[in-house]
Each structure stands twice: as C-alpha cells, then as structure tokens.
Amino acid sequence: MSTTNFSLTLHVWRQRGPAERGHMEVFERADVSPDQSFLEMLDDLNEELVRAGKEPIAFEHDCREGICGCCGLMVNGRAHGGERGTTLCQVHMRSFSPGSHLYVEPWRARAFPILRDLVVDRAAFDRIQQAGGYISVNTGQAPEAGSIPVPKPRADQAMDAAACIGCGACVAACKNASAMLFVGARVSHFVLLPQGEVERARRALAMVEAADRAGFGNCTNEGECSAACPKQIEMPHMARMFREYLRAALTESTRVRKDGGA
Amino acid sequence: MKLDARVPAGPIEEKWDKHRFALKLINPANKRKYTVIVVGTGLAGASAAASLGELGYRVKNFCIQDSARRAHSIAAQGGINAAKNYTNDGDSVWRLFYDTVKGGDYRAREANVYRLAQLSNHIIDQCVAQGVPFAREYGGLLANRSFGGAQVSRTFYARGQTGQQLLLGAYSALMRQVHAGKVELETRREMLDLVVEGGRAVGIVARNLVTGALERHAADAVVLATGGYSRVYYLSTNAMNCAVSAAWACHKRGAGFANPCFTQIHPTCIPVHGDRQSKLTLMSESLRNDGRVWVPRKPGDPRPAKDIPAAERLYYLEERYPSFGNLVPRDVASRAAKKVCDEGLGVGKTKLAVYLDFADAIQRDGRDKIEEKYGNLFQMYEKINAEDPYQVPMRIFPAVHYTMGGLWVDYDLMSTVPGLFVLGEANFSDHGANRLGASALMQGLADGYFVIPYTLGGYLAQLPRARVDVEHGAFAEAEQGIRAKIDRVMKVKGKQTCDQIHKKLGLLLWNKCGMGRNAARLGEALQEIPRLREEFWHDVTVPGRADDLNQQLEKTLRVADFLEFAELLVRDALERVESCGGHFREESQTEDNEARRDDERFAHAAVWEHQGEGKPPLRHQEELTFEHVKPSQRSYK
Ligand SMILES: Cc1cc2nc3c(=O)[nH]c(=O)nc-3n(C[C@H](O)[C@H](O)[C@H](O)COP(=O)(O)OP(=O)(O)OC[C@H]3O[C@@H](n4cnc5c(N)ncnc54)[C@H](O)[C@@H]3O)c2cc1C
Ligand code: FES
C-alpha cells in the first residue's frame, strides 16, 4: 500500500460506437495520489485530455459512493477492480502498486452493447424488471404497514437480496454472461416477503424468460458472479430463484393442461 | 408575478380533505386523453409517474441516467419519517408537523407541512406493500430510530440504504406501468428547456445523451422532479449528475425561484482531503444516535484520540444542548462544528474536522449491534479513509448536502407557470430554512404518490382541449435557443475545462456564501461571479461533437447554468439579513453569538422573477403566517 504519489501505466479501451471497432490506448500516469479514488484518477486523465483538445474517456458514474450502480469497469480482467464487496468508485489508488499496468475495459456481454469507450447499454436489466419485478399494488391500495408481521430473519434476508445495485458486474464476471444472480436477487427479495407471495409464480417465470430474451447466457454455477458482486449477493438467492422457477413452471404447466384440456 | 399560494380555507386538519373534494375530477375513461411529462425518476418523479400511469394518464418520464433506478435519491442512507407512533413515545401528526415547522426555523408554509405530516403514514403503508424491506424487530413489526431535531423515534429505515430501497419500490411500480404501456420511459435524456405557449407549460426540449439529438415533447402538463442544486458548490454530497439546469430553464421561462440561499450544510460528512477530490461523502445522521461528537479541549492536542482522557475532551453538543445532545438539528450541529474548528480545536491533518466516536456505544451494546445498525457506513468510511472506525473515532466535518430553496409552488405544487408542477427537492415548500433528517424522502414520496395525482387532475380538468403540438413555433424557438447555446459553448475552444471553472465557483461560494455570511463577502461574490462567467465563455473548452455522446458537453452546459444561478443564490443571501436555518448572518446575532432570526422583516419566502438577460431579477415575497406553531427562538438546550 503506497502512501506517496506514484506512477502507473493505463491501457484503456476506446471505442467510438456500438458498430465500430475498438482498441486499447496507452496512457502513462505520473503523480497518482493514493488517496484518490479510481474514478478520480480517471478524472485527472480526462482533464488533461480535454485541455489538450482530445476527447476524454467516456465512463459512467454518478453517486461515487457505491450505491447507484452506474460505475463498473473491468480492471485487469476483474469487475470493479476485484476488491471484495466494493464498487469501482470506492476503490482507492492506494490498493494498486506503484509502476503497475492497469487494463481498463468495459463490461463485455452480448446483452450490454458498448455505446462508447467504457459505457455500455444496460437497458436489458430494466426490461427484466418490467417483465415482473414488482408487486402489483396501486398507490392507495396498501393495507396498514403493521398489519402483516414479517419474521426478522426473513426480512433481513430479503434486505440482503434487495441490496443489489444493478451494476452488471455479475454478468461481466460470468463466462456465459448470465444475469441469473441479478434475477435471483430480485426474485428472492420479493418471494421472501409475504407481500410478494401472491405473484411469485408469474414473477419467476416472467423474469427468467425476459433474461433469456435479452440475450444473457445460461448459468453453469461457476459462482464468479457472486464473488464479483460489490454488494456480495450470495448464491443461495440464485438457488431460491431456480426453485421458484421450477415450481412455477410445474404449476403453470398443470394449469395450462387443466385450462386447455377440457 | 402573482404569488397566490391558494391555501384552502378552514381548519388546518381539514384543508386537504376539503380541497380534494373541491378539486375537479376527470372521468377515468378520459384520463388517457391527457399526456403528462414527468422529468426525473427520483423518489418524487418515479412515484408521480407510476401513480399517474395507474390512474390512466399517458405519461412520459425522463431521466439523465441509463436507468430510472439510479436517480440520486438512491444515495439516501438514514431513513424516512412518519407519524405512526409505533414506539408509543408520544408522536402524532401534530408533533411531526410541529417539529418540521420548528426545525425549518419558521420559514415554511404551515398548510403544506401539515399535509405532509398527514400523508406520512400512507407512505409507509404503500412502501411496505411494494416490498420495501424496512428494518424489523424480532416480533416481526417495523423498527424505528431517532433522527436529529426530534425527541421521538419516528424514522423508518432499511439498513443504511433507505433511499435505495424506497426508490426500488417506486421504480418497480414504475416498471409495472411501463410494462402496461402507460408510462413511456425516456432514459439518457436531459431536459434543456421548458416550452411555454399561451401562458402555460406545454412541453419540453430534451437532448438525447446518446445521439446528441434535440427532441421535442408536447404534453398537457409538465411535472418537474429534478432534485436539488447543491452541486453549485462543486464539492457536495450530491451525485455527479445533479444540476440546477432543468429548474433554471423553467425559471427563465417564468417560474419564480424561492429562497435560493437556503442550502443545507450537513454536519456529518467525511472531511475534504485534497484539491483533486470530486465529491464529498455523507455519513448518515443516524450515526449521531450512537456516536458522540467531541474535540480535544486543548488546541492542537497531538495525542491519538483514544489517549485523550474524558476530562480533556469537549463534548460540545452534549454540554451546550443537554436535552437534545448529539441529536440537535443539522444546522445547529454544523454551526457548532464550524465554531470549534474556528477556535482552533479541530482535529486531523487539516484541522477542519471533529470526532464522531463510537467507543462508548460499542462498549455498551457490543460491536455486533453497532455493525448491524451501521455496518455499511463504517465500511464506506474505512474505504475512503483507510482507518477502522470500530477502533478509532471517525473524523467528520459539515458539507453542502441539500437545498431547501427551489421553484416556488402553491398548495397544489404548481409553479408560477400554469401547468408546470414541481415536486421533491426541486421545489421549495416544506422545509423552510432547514430540513430535518429523514424528511426529504417523506416529502418526495408524499408529493409523488399522494399530492400530484389529485392536484394535477384539478388542473387538467379545467384546461381547454387544444393541444399545442411539437410543430408549433414555441417548440422551434426553444430548440433554436438550445442549439445556439450548444454551438456557442462548442466554439469557445479555450484552455480550461468546465471542472476547473466549476471548482473556482464552488470555492468562492463556500467561502463567501457558506455557513457564515456577511454583506461584505456576499458583495464581493456578486462581483466575482460575473467575472467567472466571463472567464467561462472565453476560455472553456469542449472537445468532440455536439451530435454525439459527449459527456464533457453535458457537464459544461450544466456548469454554464450554475454560473448564472450562483448569482441569484448570492443575491438572495445578501437580501436576507437574518440568521436562519443553517446560515449564520454575522450582522444578525444575539449577545452570546447565537443565531438571531428576524421575524419582523423576514418571515417570508423570497421569490425571484427572471427579468431577462442582463437585467436584475425582481424579488417578491410570500408572507408566511404561523397560526399553529408560534415562532420562538429555537432552543434545543
Ligand atoms: C448522501 C445523501 C443522503 C441523504 N439521506 C437522506 C435521508 O436519510 N433521509 C432523507 O429524507 N433524505 C436524505 N437525503 C436527501 C434526499 O435523498 C433527496 O432530497 C431526495 O432523494 C431528492 O429526491 P428527488 O426525487 O427530488 O430528486 P432526485 O432523486 O435527485 O432525482 C432527480 C431526478 O431528476 C433527473 N433529472 C435531473 N435533471 C434532469 C434534466 N435536466 N433532464 C432530465 N432528467 C433530469 C435525474 O436523472 C433524476 O432521475 C440525502 C441526500 C444525500 C445527498
Ligand atoms: S458511481 Fe455510484 S456505484 Fe459507483
């Protein structure tokens, strides 16, 4: 861990648009402060580029405190730089060794087309959510909040799942570019709560199918997703989602048989 | 400019019910004939768009980020207030109303605040039904904690991520409406102008942030929920994309801007560490439930915190304010921190910090309990500072955090431009000169779920049915204006980045229009801001093209607006010769140097009217009357 300013070499993916070819561009960086965040280090580089009349590196960020899910890049092949439970905006330069070479690339997945440099289009996550990631309650229809107790352990588990920030690191870390950890977190969050019970079957089916349609890959249980997750969403949430899906697929097909069989 | 708050007559408890009854209705089948634009997908925007979609309106909803779920509301940590009185400790709608008016230092409109307190309980019901995983007790019921400025426990929370969870609730309701085809979601769009025709808001012009194209959108009404303007100070706890641009564009189109100088300085932020920092990080106020604030009694005491014995520590909040102690409201806590640092008692490298110490709480409740309550905050602190707050006290300092000022709205949340409604942090209404912790989330959701669905209908029901479409000259004119501004900024081709100029602006405002203000420094700021603006228009540079994804252009346009807006903020501060909320006006203090509010001269909202380029704005006043909470010098002692 360095305490004085240091140098390093950045290799950054540059790509003008979704249909264009990209390449790595090399930048020598001196005077990197250990107290800077990774994104502030990129800011410094961008400031220099702009002053030189060159186009800065496009990357996404907003809250810079690990909660909005905007930021996210591969650094040396690891999502968010690989620090456990940390988004890239919270990674500080003190975690890198002086003189190192850092390879900075966007999330790579068919379902996340690259828009520019390090910016990808994650609208597919929204589409999964639209397919069923909600409890159907209109404004005004809610019963009194205290009327349905939820056992604390279950509420805590639901919160664990709900902590997903939708950054896409799970997809980027998976060799199949599967979104199942994301879907698992959403499905688990709802199914763990009594409020989510009513629509559980429809929700699981709709969200899993939406993920397939969006072009995400299949899950082969490698667990890379959970290891890369900045919010440490755990594999059992995904297992729960698969159980939900199977259960729903079964009851749903029975229903179809019954309905359609007469 | 006519300021008519249109507060309904009658006893305060009955105003809202009576008003809802008096508002005209639109038959369910006719609602789909109306198009409503909602700008913003934070708590206020998402809740409004979803609720309006459910009612059957055709809604177009816009946001800057790639997904509606990423609005800045996501960053709220601490919690949301409601008058449920689940803790049986004496809370009620009246008490929440009272605390909020008093906490706001008597600069809010009573009727609005009362309605907010009334609606607070419905919000919790709605959120629980959506699946928001609020913290619970072992019996399975909802847990509460305390926040500054209140002596009851009325804050609901979801670990340290209350904003994120509430927003996911609103976002999921919104996604359901998108799926149902009721809401059209336009992400990565930035509204750059409001279109006004025939004296009412009829649409917006937005820039597609992927292609750079300017797009026109027409509607029967525009609902603005674009958040606050703290980033005018450059360093703040706000997210990087927060801006004043949408509100400023509306102001230039005729919307009065109220109390721009009312900005909130939050007492518990991670101190500034260097000039290459991009933003500040908040440590939730909830930490003051268990953390004790102190500084060494001896200036420059070199010993590590744990080696300083209790007798040599100054627990200045507990000493000065024994009944509220560490839980005094934000403005009081911030000013007190500034005071001890001004006296040379600050800690850390810069001496611009005080300790927030958990040692006693850890000893009392055990580390596990503290970890359960604040784990993610402690983790965040450690990441930034490379120090373990379980072992050594946190160092904190006040930072710009929230803006009570905003576009003026009447009781219906309509601005001075008919058809333009303003919700959430973007409006000015409910928090007076100082917002209490955990009430911004409450206000955003009250506005979006429970106020606008009624008041918008009332407006639309009396509208003549002739839509202004996007081919109308008013749209062309607005688009031309934006195009000209973009061309102008692209053509400067100077030597500085917008951030360089923005930093100068921020520093200037922090020094001359921050927590302590006086006429001389404010006067200087009023001279310097136009010079800085001049510098910007001669020396800024934006590479790349305008008809393209160009993040530098986005930022630069926002800075251009901050540079104009800052002048209004300072002007407003100069005119308000009283200490109020977080701001200590040096000319207005008591004998023992406490803040002195001046109700004789300033019990009003100052509302500014734009007069055109280069002309000084006009200041109007909405007089505030207090029938229920009698203004007194606030005391938290
Ligand atoms: C770190 C932090 C912690 C906080 N903690 C708490 C807390 O514990 N309790 C509490 O009550 N309050 C808290 N607050 C305050 C509270 O979070 C905010 O006031 C509130 O969330 C604002 O919500 P909003 O819907 O008005 O705006 P925002 O959430 O800011 O949303 C603004 C929306 O408008 C969009 N937008 C803006 N400009 C444009 C444009 N030109 N064109 C198109 N779209 C645009 C954005 O994309 C976004 O979708 C906290 C604030 C911060 C900074
Ligand atoms: S910028 Fe928000 S999570 Fe990193």
Side-chain angles (χ1 to χ4, degrees):
Chain A
M1 194 159 106
S2 181
T3 53
T4 53
N5 289 9
F6 59 91
S7 314
L8 47 76
T9 309
L10 283 181
H11 305 252
V12 182
W13 185 259
R14 304 302 301 260
Q15 181 173 337
R16 280 212 63 82
E20 278 159 82
R21 287 176 63 125
H23 65 280
M24 289 302 241
E25 190 172 347
V26 181
F27 301 95
E28 295 298 337
R29 303 303 299 153
D31 200 29
V32 173
S33 157
D35 293 332
Q36 281 185 306
S37 69
F38 192 92
L39 301 188
E40 285 169 348
M41 183 273 298
L42 286 183
D43 288 343
D44 274 359
L45 169 56
N46 274 347
E47 286 285 291
E48 284 177 31
L49 290 173
V50 172
R51 278 199 291 273
K54 296 185 189 146
E55 286 190 51
I57 299 157
F59 66 95
E60 283 198 281
H61 61 92
D62 199 16
C63 74
R64 297 205 171 190
E65 35 188 85
I67 192 72
C68 74
C70 279
C71 72
L73 308 168
M74 302 303 270
V75 181
N76 291 345
R78 306 180 69 190
H80 290 293
E83 219 169 277
R84 211 175 145 64
T86 309
T87 55
L88 189 65
C89 57
Q90 290 189 298
V91 171
H92 283 73
M93 293 314 292
R94 62 179 89 93
S95 9
F96 300 97
S97 323
S100 48
H101 284 250
L102 303 183
Y103 292 79
V104 185
E105 292 174 83
W107 291 161
R108 296 200 188 272
R110 190 157 59 94
F112 289 162
I114 295 175
L115 295 178
R116 165 70 57 83
D117 298 342
L118 306 171
V119 177
V120 300
D121 180 0
R122 287 173 289 198
F125 271 8
D126 279 347
R127 289 197 293 275
I128 295 176
Q129 197 82 38
Q130 284 157 18
Y134 46 76
I135 290 170
S136 298
V137 52
N138 282 358
T139 301
Q141 285 180 325
E144 208 285 328
S147 57
I148 309 173
V150 184
K152 182 168 161 45
R154 256 186 118 73
D156 285 347
Q157 269 185 310
M159 178 64 232
D160 290 342
C164 163
I165 57 175
C167 64
C170 46
V171 175
C174 172
K175 68 176 171 57
N176 310 320
S178 163
M180 284 305 138
L181 190 68
F182 169 78
V183 180
R186 305 313 295 144
V187 168
S188 261
H189 160 202
F190 288 119
V191 83
L192 283 160
L193 295 170
Q195 288 83 359
E197 174 71 30
V198 181
E199 296 168 282
R200 65 195 280 187
R202 193 188 52 75
R203 179 182 307 117
L205 288 176
M207 291 183 82
V208 171
E209 281 157 17
D212 284 346
R213 271 200 309 277
F216 292 103
N218 290 324
C219 172
T220 48
N221 250 315
E222 313 284 322
E224 293 295 336
C225 49
S226 178
C229 174
K231 295 295 144 184
Q232 299 179 306
I233 305 292
E234 290 173 351
M235 298 293 279
H237 291 302
M238 203 155 72
R240 184 176 298 107
M241 182 261 307
F242 282 126
R243 279 200 305 279
E244 285 298 310
Y245 179 76
L246 285 178
R247 184 172 166 271
L250 255 142
T251 47
E252 210 65 353
S253 61
T254 348
R255 187 173 58 76
V256 172
R257 256 206 318 277
K258 262 199 216 143
D259 289 352
Chain B
M1 178 177 286
K2 203 168 118 274
L3 294 179
D4 179 2
R6 299 199 299 165
V7 173
I12 199 161
E13 306 90 326
E14 293 169 20
K15 283 183 195 295
W16 179 233
D17 277 354
K18 285 197 169 150
H19 187 57
R20 283 195 298 168
F21 182 68
L23 284 167
K24 286 215 179 74
L25 296 177
I26 297 176
N27 148 350
N30 279 340
K31 288 201 177 86
R32 77 173 81 91
K33 296 184 186 153
Y34 292 91
T35 301
V36 180
I37 284 175
V38 178
V39 190
T41 61
L43 288 181
S47 59
S51 304
L52 294 172
E54 288 162 9
L55 284 173
Y57 295 109
R58 284 212 315 245
V59 180
K60 280 186 168 183
N61 192 193
F62 296 78
C63 70
I64 290 178
Q65 290 79 3
D66 67 324
S67 165
R69 62 171 290 165
R70 304 200 203 284
H72 172 58
S73 291
I74 204 114
Q77 303 165 347
I80 176 167
N81 286 333
K84 285 281 194 190
N85 193 30
Y86 285 159
T87 50
N88 197 29
D89 58 357
D91 204 4
S92 62
V93 167
W94 268 100
R95 189 176 296 281
L96 177 54
F97 161 63
Y98 174 89
D99 286 350
T100 308
V101 172
K102 175 184 171 197
D105 220 358
Y106 308 96
R107 292 293 174 265
R109 191 188 290 148
E110 272 192 340
N112 285 54
V113 180
Y114 192 86
R115 174 177 64 191
L116 176 64
Q118 279 178 305
L119 295 176
S120 66
N121 292 340
H122 301 301
I123 297 173
I124 304 302
D125 298 344
Q126 190 64 34
C127 295
V128 168
Q130 290 167 343
V132 171
F134 283 122
R136 289 180 183 264
E137 309 283 2
Y138 280 100
L141 298 169
L142 292 159
N144 288 116
R145 64 183 171 202
S146 313
F147 250 58
Q151 284 172 316
V152 293
S153 261
R154 63 159 72 99
T155 305
F156 294 78
Y157 61 100
R159 236 166 256 172
Q161 318 184 345
T162 315
Q164 143 116 321
Q165 295 310 322
L166 295 175
L167 187 57
L168 286 179
Y171 161 80
S172 61
L174 178 62
M175 290 296 112
R176 178 169 159 248
Q177 293 310 307
V178 173
H179 191 59
K182 299 291 178 51
V183 178
E184 210 179 289
L185 194 59
E186 308 272 4
T187 60
R188 296 193 196 271
R189 297 292 193 291
E190 185 160 4
M191 167 188 168
L192 294 178
D193 207 355
L194 177 75
V195 181
V196 180
E197 171 54 30
R200 58 189 176 87
V202 296
I204 64 170
V205 174
R207 184 165 176 272
N208 179 323
L209 300 180
V210 178
T211 64
L214 297 182
E215 302 171 341
R216 305 173 183 185
H217 300 271
D220 297 292
V222 176
V223 176
L224 199 79
T226 48
Y229 51 82
S230 295
R231 267 189 59 80
V232 69
Y233 285 84
Y234 187 75
L235 284 182
S236 80
T237 62
N238 280 202
M240 306 302 284
N241 289 313
C242 294
V244 77
S245 296
W248 189 243
C250 293
H251 175 60
K252 288 179 148 184
R253 293 279 176 195
F257 210 113
N259 302 330
C261 81
F262 284 172
T263 55
Q264 179 162 76
I265 319 277
H266 194 291
T268 51
C269 300
I270 297 179
V272 178
H273 61 68
D275 59 2
R276 288 151 89 184
Q277 205 170 348
S278 57
K279 82 178 278 283
L280 298 172
T281 303
L282 174 80
M283 291 280 102
S284 164
E285 165 164 332
S286 61
L287 291 169
R288 288 198 276 141
N289 267 301
D290 287 295
R292 298 180 68 194
V293 178
W294 65 276
V295 288
R297 285 187 188 274
K298 196 164 76 199
D301 194 326
R303 291 173 290 178
K306 66 174 177 9
D307 296 341
I308 301 181
E312 292 175 48
R313 299 176 175 193
L314 177 62
Y315 291 95
Y316 58 89
L317 290 178
E318 296 172 23
E319 250 174 52
R320 265 182 230 156
Y321 308 99
S323 58
F324 279 71
N326 292 298
L327 283 175
V328 292
R330 294 179 173 172
D331 55 340
V332 178
S334 292
R335 269 204 314 276
K338 177 177 186 306
K339 187 153 178 273
V340 292
C341 292
D342 286 349
E343 287 162 4
L345 299 176
V347 300
K349 244 194 275 176
T350 59
K351 302 286 172 227
L352 286 177
V354 299
Y355 287 130
L356 180 64
D357 197 340
F358 292 87
D360 292 343
I362 291 173
Q363 201 165 34
R364 185 186 64 225
D365 300 337
R367 183 185 156 125
D368 286 356
K369 191 88 200 161
I370 296 299
E371 190 167 349
E372 187 189 315
K373 281 197 206 164
Y374 313 114
N376 68 324
L377 299 174
F378 276 50
Q379 188 195 19
M380 191 150 84
Y381 183 89
E382 181 168 2
K383 293 228 162 90
I384 295 176
N385 295 288
E387 259 179 15
D388 177 3
Y390 293 101
Q391 305 296 333
V392 295
M394 290 184 178
R395 278 173 291 114
I396 54 163
F397 198 65
V400 182
H401 174 65
Y402 180 87
T403 51
M404 284 75 63
L407 294 179
W408 183 88
V409 288
D410 64 12
Y411 189 73
D412 285 346
L413 305 182
M414 190 159 85
S415 71
T416 53
V417 176
L420 173 67
F421 292 78
V422 190
L423 320 186
E425 192 173 340
N427 76 22
F428 90 112
S429 66
D430 297 351
H431 308 292
N434 173 55
R435 177 175 67 80
L436 290 183
S439 21
L441 303 182
M442 168 173 76
Q443 182 225 330
L445 290 180
D447 289 359
Y449 284 134
F450 298 113
V451 180
I452 195 72
Y454 294 95
T455 59
L456 182 74
Y459 169 77
L460 293 174
Q462 48 82 50
L463 207 60
R465 293 273 336 132
R467 169 85 47 77
V468 177
D469 77 27
V470 296
E471 299 310 323
H472 191 282
F475 278 92
E477 183 264 328
E479 189 185 318
Q480 278 313 318
I482 295 299
R483 205 175 290 288
K485 181 172 170 183
I486 292 175
D487 282 349
R488 185 171 165 218
V489 89
M490 295 298 295
K491 282 200 185 113
V492 181
K493 300 233 170 290
K495 289 189 292 297
Q496 295 188 64
T497 66
C498 63
D499 277 4
Q500 284 179 288
I501 298 170
H502 194 178
K503 273 184 199 176
K504 292 182 205 172
L505 175 69
L507 202 63
L508 190 162
L509 286 179
W510 179 247
N511 289 333
K512 303 197 166 163
C513 192
M515 274 186 282
R517 301 170 175 180
N518 68 32
R521 284 202 304 275
L522 291 167
E524 286 163 24
L526 274 186
Q527 304 284 314
E528 288 167 37
I529 294 167
R531 284 206 289 272
L532 207 52
R533 205 158 51 222
E534 189 90 335
E535 186 177 324
F536 173 93
W537 285 108
H538 279 102
D539 202 30
V540 80
T541 184
V542 183
R545 299 198 322 250
D547 58 345
D548 198 359
L549 190 158
N550 188 336
Q551 293 176 326
Q552 193 66 22
L553 175 61
E554 295 165 27
K555 273 206 293 189
T556 307
L557 289 172
R558 291 174 202 152
V559 174
D561 293 331
F562 280 135
L563 282 164
E564 293 181 5
F565 169 71
E567 197 173 322
L568 189 71
L569 191 160
V570 174
R571 206 179 279 276
D572 187 48
L574 183 63
E575 295 287 328
R576 192 169 279 279
V577 194
E578 64 162 347
S579 296
C580 190
H583 315 116
F584 191 68
R585 185 66 190 251
E586 289 158 17
E587 295 93 321
S588 181
Q589 46 182 301
T590 61
E591 294 79 69
D592 50 352
N593 303 106
E594 291 279 348
R596 199 172 61 80
R597 214 178 53 231
D598 185 346
D599 292 335
E600 291 274 293
R601 293 163 62 209
F602 292 102
H604 60 246
V607 187
W608 295 89
E609 180 180 0
H610 185 70
Q611 294 282 87
E613 237 41 75
K615 295 199 196 111
L618 263 183
R619 186 178 190 271
H620 303 269
Q621 291 177 197
E622 181 199 340
E623 298 307 326
L624 298 169
T625 48
F626 295 90
E627 286 172 30
H628 302 279
V629 190
K630 285 285 163 236
S632 58
Q633 210 53 269
R634 284 189 306 160
S635 168
Y636 293 94
K637 291 206 165 155

